[in-house]
Amino acid sequence: MARIKVRKPQAAQSRGEFDKFVDEVARMDIKIEKKEAELKKKHQELDDKYGEAIKRLANDRDELMQRAEPFFFEHQSELCAEGRREGATKLARFGVRLGNPAVTKAGAFKKLAWKALGAVFHASDALRKFTRETFEVDKDRILAAFRDAKSEDPDVKKAAEADVAVLEKNAIGVEQTDQFWVEPIADDQVKGE
């Protein structure tokens, strides 16, 4: 398989070239905003034109499916060839497919929420193997510890510094890099676009 070489864009070589690039980015941002607005307007026009009719058709289709389904299950042996779970009319094929298996609750567990049932399972030696524990690094808490280590409040700072020391000892840190940005000053600066 041939490798595709990705060219790295050449950086601006002068202030004039930099200004030109930045101004062009601003022009392109304004064009993008205008095109996106046009696209949203067209989507809205199409939704206004066809949306209600589509909803009506979908509701009518669903109602007919609900009316046909009981008949199918009552007369499946007549409608389907022996050993088959499907049949056909002139315009359509129909039948049943085996759905995905789903775990259900019954008896005393029926009214319990799954999360509460998980706690019940975890407390039972026989059912504990049917629970799971997920561990996830709390990045927000790590960021808060580094932020609080710079706090003016001595109590907050002291506790956070201890947490930061443990994190740093385990090779965890926080880094923040500058990101270049450009935004248009005014869209009326782009003439004739």
Side-chain angles (χ1 to χ4, degrees):
M1 178 184 280
R3 289 190 165 204
I4 299 173
K5 289 186 180 180
V6 178
R7 282 190 358 219
K8 186 176 178 183
Q10 187 173 350
Q13 301 296 310
S14 67
R15 173 63 193 255
E17 196 173 29
F18 172 80
D19 288 351
K20 179 180 156 193
F21 291 169
V22 168
D23 287 347
E24 191 58 30
V25 167
R27 281 188 195 91
M28 289 176 176
D29 278 345
I30 292 165
K31 286 180 185 177
I32 289 169
E33 287 177 23
K34 287 181 178 179
K35 296 285 185 196
E36 286 175 343
E38 289 175 29
L39 182 63
K40 285 179 184 174
K41 182 180 176 190
K42 292 211 188 272
H43 281 170
Q44 187 60 50
E45 288 170 359
L46 289 170
D47 191 39
D48 291 346
K49 184 174 181 179
Y50 298 111
E52 201 54 44
I54 290 170
K55 285 178 189 171
R56 257 192 322 275
L57 280 169
N59 287 338
D60 292 348
R61 179 209 50 215
D62 292 346
E63 182 183 333
L64 289 174
M65 286 285 291
Q66 291 170 2
R67 291 174 67 190
E69 183 179 10
F71 185 87
F72 174 82
F73 283 113
E74 288 173 19
H75 305 306
Q76 186 173 354
S77 61
E78 303 161 27
L79 296 170
C80 302
E82 191 173 327
R84 304 284 306 207
R85 297 172 47 119
E86 63 183 53
T89 66
K90 217 163 51 166
L91 297 177
R93 291 178 43 219
F94 58 86
V96 289
R97 292 185 179 106
L98 188 60
N100 291 329
V103 177
T104 59
K105 301 180 282 185
F109 294 148
K110 187 168 182 107
K111 294 187 180 197
L112 277 179
W114 285 107
K115 207 168 206 173
L117 188 57
V120 171
F121 273 35
H122 192 70
S124 164
D125 290 336
L127 295 172
R128 186 172 300 123
K129 65 183 172 187
F130 299 108
T131 63
R132 67 177 99 155
E133 293 181 37
T134 57
F135 297 100
E136 182 181 343
V137 173
D138 188 347
K139 292 179 184 176
D140 293 330
R141 197 166 184 178
I142 292 171
L143 289 171
F146 277 88
R147 182 190 62 237
D148 291 347
K150 297 176 185 170
S151 174
E152 299 292 324
D153 183 341
D155 294 332
V156 170
K157 184 174 183 168
K158 185 176 180 182
E161 284 176 338
D163 289 341
V164 166
V166 169
L167 288 166
E168 288 177 337
K169 183 178 178 188
N170 288 285
I172 302 297
V174 171
E175 84 181 26
Q176 192 168 359
T177 57
D178 289 334
Q179 293 193 323
F180 179 68
W181 60 272
V182 175
E183 62 186 29
I185 294 173
D187 62 355
D188 59 356
Q189 298 293 322
V190 181
K191 305 229 185 301
E193 297 179 44

